[in-house]
Amino acid sequence: MSHCIADIFHQDPRIAQAKALVSEALGDAQKKFDGVRAPSADKLESFQDLLQRLAEARGAATYFPYIGSGIGRGPLVELLDGSVKYDFITGIGVHFFGHSHPGLIDAALDAALGNTVMQGHLQQNADTLELAELLVKSSGIDHCFLTTSGAMANENALKLAFHKKHPKHRLLALENCFMGRTWALSQLTDRPKYRTGLPNNVQVDYVPFYDALDPEGSTRRAVNVLNKHFARHPHQHAAMFFELVQGEGGFYPGSRDYFVALMGLCREH
């Protein structure tokens, strides 16, 4: 039976040896991460210069004086000023497994070796089929459409909702939600300053989020507000966006009863 060139390549023993060497080198480097470390005095001036150059290149200063060196260990990350700091925001989620996680590096190497570059829907690799089937089976949802970002996923969800529910044109969302930074998603995100200077391209009604200190009361208030929106704009809402855990400004989970109550109303309408 003939093999694809890719099969021969991935079975080459040099590939396994190279990955093992990368893993070994990473482990040796990470042993040096034994706690926080102050910046190196001889790097402070050059680091400030790098921050200034980055601000000029991107058109604005960074929120934190942060330029990573490219390595870390778990919650610890090294900056180009020689310091080692704790990352308490996990890179807004992208470092949820920790900095320089061996499993992620191994997966990234596999992706690079497999020529996996995801853009759009025209070119799919074997990895696409494997991941899509895994997600469909695990979620119980009928289909899986892979996109390159959360914003693109939400934008596609908007298109699907408006197509299916035409001519309904209003949306519902939770107070203090964050949906993304595109034009439409900035209208959904409950941050007025994010919409400054942008023409309104979608109409959104907001519902109070769950309050862990008042579970039943907050659920009741949310249901009342949702009912008022349906009464005020009958047959005009195409979809409601839910964040099961709100991450903007903290880490706030809802409850099953809260979501069941609201989603039940949405299905009725």
Side-chain angles (χ1 to χ4, degrees), residues 36-50:
V36 297
R37 187 169 64 228
S40 302
D42 61 341
K43 291 184 171 67
L44 288 175
E45 185 175 345
S46 62
F47 187 67
Q48 291 301 316
D49 179 61
L50 289 173

Side-chain angles (χ1 to χ4, degrees), residues 152-173:
M152 184 178 287
N154 280 341
E155 286 279 353
N156 277 286
L158 273 174
K159 289 169 64 179
L160 289 169
F162 283 137
H163 274 306
K164 183 175 182 180
K165 299 297 183 179
H166 179 78
K168 295 182 178 182
H169 60 279
R170 300 187 73 88
L171 297 170
L172 291 151

Side-chain angles (χ1 to χ4, degrees), residues 11-268:
Q11 293 168 11
D12 190 314
R14 291 172 293 180
I15 298 297
Q17 292 169 3
K19 291 177 65 179
L21 286 172
V22 170
S23 179
E24 181 182 340
L26 173 65
D28 290 341
Q30 288 188 322
K31 291 176 183 177
K32 300 175 182 178
F33 286 85
D34 54 3
V36 297
R37 187 169 64 228
S40 302
D42 61 341
K43 291 184 171 67
L44 288 175
E45 185 175 345
S46 62
F47 187 67
Q48 291 301 316
D49 179 61
L50 289 173
L51 288 170
Q52 180 60 35
R53 287 168 53 192
L54 179 59
E56 293 173 358
R58 69 194 295 268
T62 57
Y63 190 83
F64 295 114
Y66 181 113
I67 303 180
S69 69
I71 193 172
R73 182 184 183 182
L76 297 170
V77 61
E78 182 185 54
L79 304 189
L80 282 178
D81 61 1
S83 67
V84 174
K85 292 180 167 62
Y86 276 109
D87 177 4
F88 287 104
I89 61 172
T90 68
I92 321 182
V94 295
H95 292 296
F96 193 81
F97 292 99
H99 289 269
S100 301
H101 191 285
L104 292 181
I105 291 177
D106 190 58
L109 288 172
D110 285 340
L113 294 169
N115 193 34
T116 302
V117 180
M118 178 66 187
Q119 173 58 42
H121 61 278
L122 297 179
Q123 295 177 312
Q124 307 292 332
N125 278 16
D127 311 71
T128 309
L129 173 60
E130 184 179 356
L131 178 58
E133 288 184 336
L134 173 64
L135 292 173
V136 167
K137 181 179 179 180
S138 301
S139 67
I141 297 174
D142 294 336
H143 308 290
C144 170
F145 183 86
L146 299 177
T147 68
T148 52
S149 71
M152 184 178 287
N154 280 341
E155 286 279 353
N156 277 286
L158 273 174
K159 289 169 64 179
L160 289 169
F162 283 137
H163 274 306
K164 183 175 182 180
K165 299 297 183 179
H166 179 78
K168 295 182 178 182
H169 60 279
R170 300 187 73 88
L171 297 170
L172 291 151
L174 299 170
E175 291 181 357
N176 299 316
C177 69
F178 179 84
M179 290 291 111
R181 301 188 184 278
T182 60
W183 182 7
L185 297 182
S186 66
Q187 307 296 317
L188 270 161
T189 296
D190 189 18
R191 293 290 185 278
K193 65 180 181 180
Y194 289 1
R195 298 190 287 271
T196 301
L198 297 177
N200 185 24
N201 63 353
V202 66
Q203 295 174 304
V204 187
D205 299 308
Y206 294 96
V207 175
F209 192 63
Y210 176 77
D211 183 354
L213 299 178
D214 185 15
E216 294 182 1
S218 62
T219 300
R220 186 167 54 252
R221 286 190 292 273
V223 167
N224 290 339
V225 170
L226 185 55
N227 273 321
K228 288 180 179 178
H229 288 318
F230 286 139
R232 184 176 292 116
H233 306 289
H235 310 298
Q236 293 185 31
H237 292 98
M240 182 167 183
F241 278 69
F242 288 93
E243 285 177 299
L244 302 185
V245 178
Q246 288 199 332
E248 185 79 344
F251 196 88
Y252 303 104
S255 76
R256 184 181 188 280
D257 289 343
Y258 171 85
F259 290 119
V260 165
L262 295 183
M263 291 180 183
L265 269 178
C266 288
R267 289 190 175 96
E268 289 177 17

